[in-house]
Amino acid sequence: MTPTRRDFLKATGVVGAGLALAGTSACASDTGDAGPAAPAPKRILIFGGTGFIGPHTVRYAVERGHEVTIFTRGRSQADLPEQVERLVGDRNDDHAALEGRTWDVVIDNNGQDYRWVETSTELLQDAAGHYVYISSISAYALEGFDWRRSDQVTYEPMVDVDHPRVQAPEGWTHGERAGYGHMKALSEDIVHAAFPGRATVVRPGLIVGPGDATNRWGYWPLRLDDGGEILAPGRPAHSIQFIDQRDLTEWTVRLAESGTTGDFNGTGPGERLEFGDMLEQIGSAMTSDHSLTWVPESFLEAQELMPWRDFPAWIPGDPLQACEVSASVARGLTYRAIAVTARDTLEYERSRDPEVVASRPFGITREREREVLEAWHASRG
């Protein structure tokens, strides 16, 4: 039986990981677009605020003059502006700190369980005017994907916001745990039902940039900065999408302050990007002497190497690397240049404990990479 895309993601540990920018794009900039001047200050409640995308969301909202409250378990520390109000509770069973309060808008960027979203929307549907939910492109239902047939793929935008979403598996009962994509689709429906005409759903793809501790994209700036001969997987023409966490979070705040509602894909760039172009643009930000050796998918498979797990961010032929984002760009989504994201990500990676970086589950080791490159050269005589 041909493995589905979701089977592949499950096997390689992608699901739930938080799954898009050419510097010449009309909507690209070196530092990100601050956007138009903020309207009148709003009272914003943010679920989370101390994880990967939370701190920049909070800081950007404060910079634009908004009054920000965060709701967390109080277990993680983050460098946030002192005027931020910090409410402590638990989305599982302790919402007391939210009771009796009102806000203009809610940004829910850590809704990892649809039951959390049920509780928060029920509690806040009359206490907030607007609910922004950060979902995922994993909410889309895509069956029959097989990366081994990626040479048959064309890369016209295939997935827009009206694409079918993941449905409940046979035998599933509401109240039970749900798989990642199913959970996101359920949460979207819950938000729209509780805030009809007052809800915004943002579906990001792979979120990257400084602060991402997973190595899902940081592998490439690190590898190109190390220099030498680099194993580049498959063919350079494969499509790739991702988004700098600062572009995503700044746009989210602007959607919240403008009251924009509807469903949007939050990935990029605004034009098709090839994997080879991405590596070239990352490499342009590095000072190392390096070269790329492209090794076909069939050879990598024979070496028991896999997309994503061994080569982060690379899933050849994945329809979700061709999401339609024109509507998002029209609503103000802008992108930093890839070189900027690469430099900032590298600086973050170099600031971390090298042993922690080396122990992460994503990315082929340097030793294994050298073995495969030698085998590839030997196979070609």
Side-chain angles (χ1 to χ4, degrees), residues 77 118 177 211 258 277 315 341 349:
Q77 300 300 316
E118 277 185 324
R177 293 181 62 86
S258 66
D277 288 338
I315 309 181
T341 299
E349 294 287 359

Side-chain angles (χ1 to χ4, degrees), residues 41 73 113 150 158 193 234 245 247 273 291 302 316 381:
R73 292 177 297 175
D113 189 317
S150 60
M158 294 183 257
Q245 61 102 348
D247 296 326
L273 175 67
S291 63

Side-chain angles (χ1 to χ4, degrees), residues 10-57:
K10 182 177 180 181
T12 55
V14 178
V15 172
L19 296 159
L21 261 178
T24 57
S25 170
C27 56
S29 67
D30 284 344
T31 60
D33 189 343
K42 290 193 173 184
R43 294 167 299 142
I44 301 177
L45 170 65
I46 298 176
F47 284 107
T50 58
F52 173 32
I53 68 173
H56 194 74
T57 308

Side-chain angles (χ1 to χ4, degrees), residues 104-124:
D104 297 309
V105 59
V106 177
I107 298 178
D108 187 348
N109 65 23
N110 75 348
Q112 297 301 310
D113 189 317
Y114 73 95
R115 293 166 294 191
W116 294 1
V117 180
E118 277 185 324
T119 302
S120 62
T121 54
E122 181 179 358
L123 179 65
L124 297 169

Side-chain angles (χ1 to χ4, degrees), residues 53-368:
I53 68 173
H56 194 74
T57 308
V58 173
R59 288 191 291 266
Y60 186 74
V62 170
E63 288 171 4
R64 290 178 69 78
H66 301 298
E67 181 182 325
V68 177
T69 300
I70 64 172
F71 181 81
T72 72
R73 292 177 297 175
R75 300 176 183 176
S76 300
Q77 300 300 316
D79 182 18
L80 302 177
E82 61 180 13
Q83 64 264 49
V84 173
E85 180 184 22
R86 303 171 187 247
L87 301 182
V88 177
D90 193 312
R91 297 194 71 172
N92 285 300
D93 54 15
D94 181 8
H95 301 82
L98 301 175
E99 296 175 0
R101 299 288 303 273
T102 61
W103 289 273
D104 297 309
V105 59
V106 177
I107 298 178
D108 187 348
N109 65 23
N110 75 348
Q112 297 301 310
D113 189 317
Y114 73 95
R115 293 166 294 191
W116 294 1
V117 180
E118 277 185 324
T119 302
S120 62
T121 54
E122 181 179 358
L123 179 65
L124 297 169
Q125 59 185 340
D126 295 324
H130 182 197
Y131 201 104
V132 181
Y133 177 67
I134 306 303
S135 183
S136 169
I137 59 173
S138 291
Y140 292 122
L142 298 172
E143 301 299 334
F145 165 65
D146 185 352
W147 68 274
R148 297 167 184 84
R149 296 201 301 267
S150 60
D151 58 343
Q152 302 173 15
V153 174
T154 58
Y155 284 108
E156 296 301 321
M158 294 183 257
V159 181
D160 62 21
V161 294
D162 296 321
H163 191 91
R165 294 172 303 140
V166 177
Q167 300 298 307
E170 185 176 354
W172 182 84
T173 301
H174 190 88
E176 297 177 345
R177 293 181 62 86
Y180 185 73
H182 182 208
M183 181 275 294
K184 287 295 188 181
L186 284 170
S187 297
E188 293 177 4
D189 291 342
I190 291 166
V191 170
H192 279 301
F195 287 78
R198 300 183 291 139
T200 306
V201 169
V202 175
R203 298 175 183 137
L206 175 62
I207 306 172
V208 309
D212 178 19
T214 66
N215 206 35
R216 295 170 303 165
W217 193 81
Y219 170 89
W220 294 109
L222 276 172
R223 182 63 194 91
L224 271 75
D225 188 60
D226 283 346
E229 184 184 14
I230 298 168
L231 196 168
R235 291 177 290 121
H238 285 308
S239 186
I240 175 70
Q241 286 186 309
F242 56 90
I243 189 166
D244 188 304
Q245 61 102 348
R246 297 164 295 185
D247 296 326
L248 172 66
T249 53
E250 291 171 13
W251 180 56
T252 299
V253 170
R254 296 196 296 271
L255 290 175
E257 68 189 20
S258 66
T260 300
T261 59
D263 297 345
F264 300 94
N265 286 330
T267 190
E271 57 197 23
R272 184 176 172 243
L273 175 67
E274 295 184 351
F275 200 86
D277 288 338
M278 182 194 76
L279 294 187
E280 292 292 341
Q281 292 188 51
I282 294 174
S284 72
M286 307 296 122
T287 59
S288 65
D289 182 12
H290 60 265
S291 63
L292 300 176
T293 297
W294 293 91
V295 179
E297 288 94 328
S298 57
F299 189 86
L300 298 176
E301 183 183 6
Q303 293 287 322
E304 299 183 346
L305 298 175
M306 293 285 289
W308 191 275
R309 181 195 67 194
D310 297 305
F311 303 103
W314 177 67
I315 309 181
D318 184 0
L320 291 185
Q321 302 298 335
C323 289
E324 175 59 63
V325 295
S326 60
S328 302
V329 171
R331 296 302 193 280
L333 176 57
T334 59
Y335 306 99
R336 285 164 172 77
I338 292 174
V340 172
T341 299
R343 284 195 298 267
D344 294 346
T345 300
L346 179 64
E347 180 180 2
Y348 167 75
E349 294 287 359
R350 295 299 189 199
S351 72
R352 307 183 70 229
D353 183 342
E355 292 187 3
V356 173
V357 172
S359 68
R360 294 178 299 190
F362 298 104
I364 189 173
T365 66
R366 300 291 188 268
E367 294 77 16
R368 180 64 176 135

